[in-house]
Amino acid sequence: MIIMTNEQPSNTSHAQKANSKRITRFLTVAVLALAALVAAVPGTLVIMRRADAQVALGNAKSLRVALQVASTEAYGAGRPFGDVTARGGVTEEVWQAVLMDSKVPGDFWILQTDESGYEVERFMYQEGDFTVSYCKEPLTYEVHYRQMYIQISASS
């Protein structure tokens, strides 16, 4: 004889299934969120590097204007502008004036002037990992990003 009862199976089995479903949903959402994060990081880094490159370019343009002003002042006063043995390829007085006028945080080097020695035709500007090169004819600015992969130091 079979006895049938109206009792339901224990709630522990139902609770375990519900708990298992919650854990599966949580893990699925966590994996999807991590995948989205990993996919977004490289793009974000590119955008940040591009913004930093724009800042370096803007600083190089400010530097160009400051160099033009300093060269005009030096020419008008009959003072020398360039000095290949000095920092940046300009006299110390010009160096200080350009840095004060442009307020750029990086370093610059005059690569070429015209025959008079007062008009800058090419220069390089370095700010952090960015190098900006300027050429007067044709008017171009190039921003390069450098990243160190290997560094070797010679021990003494």
Side-chain angles (χ1 to χ4, degrees):
M1 170 175 197
I2 299 177
I3 300 177
M4 308 255 317
T5 63
N6 283 339
E7 290 183 24
Q8 300 226 345
S10 70
N11 285 341
T12 58
S13 171
H14 182 56
Q16 286 176 344
K17 286 180 182 178
N19 198 18
S20 175
K21 284 183 180 181
R22 275 189 235 125
I23 291 173
T24 303
R25 284 184 189 148
F26 172 76
L27 290 176
T28 302
V29 169
V31 167
L32 289 174
L34 285 173
L37 182 65
V38 168
V41 166
T44 303
L45 292 176
V46 167
I47 291 170
M48 289 172 42
R49 189 173 297 139
R50 173 83 176 168
D52 290 343
Q54 289 289 342
V55 170
L57 176 61
N59 287 339
K61 288 181 176 183
S62 296
L63 177 68
R64 180 183 61 84
V65 172
L67 284 168
Q68 285 178 335
V69 168
S71 69
T72 303
E73 288 176 354
Y75 180 78
R79 293 187 314 261
F81 173 72
D83 182 0
V84 294
T85 63
R87 181 171 42 175
V90 293
T91 63
E92 184 65 29
E93 183 180 350
V94 169
W95 173 268
Q96 293 298 327
V98 167
L99 290 181
M100 293 301 292
D101 290 345
S102 66
K103 296 184 179 16
V104 296
D107 291 326
F108 68 92
W109 298 270
I110 303 299
L111 302 177
Q112 183 180 359
T113 60
D114 68 349
E115 302 84 34
S116 70
Y118 287 94
E119 191 169 346
V120 176
E121 293 185 350
R122 292 178 187 268
F123 72 81
M124 289 188 73
Y125 170 68
Q126 185 169 3
E127 180 178 321
D129 289 335
F130 293 94
T131 302
V132 182
S133 60
Y134 162 80
C135 181
K136 183 178 178 185
E137 289 296 326
L139 179 60
T140 55
Y141 289 90
E142 293 179 359
V143 182
H144 300 275
Y145 176 76
R146 69 176 174 94
Q147 182 176 359
M148 185 182 337
Y149 289 101
I150 299 174
Q151 180 181 7
I152 299 174
S153 300
S155 60
S156 9

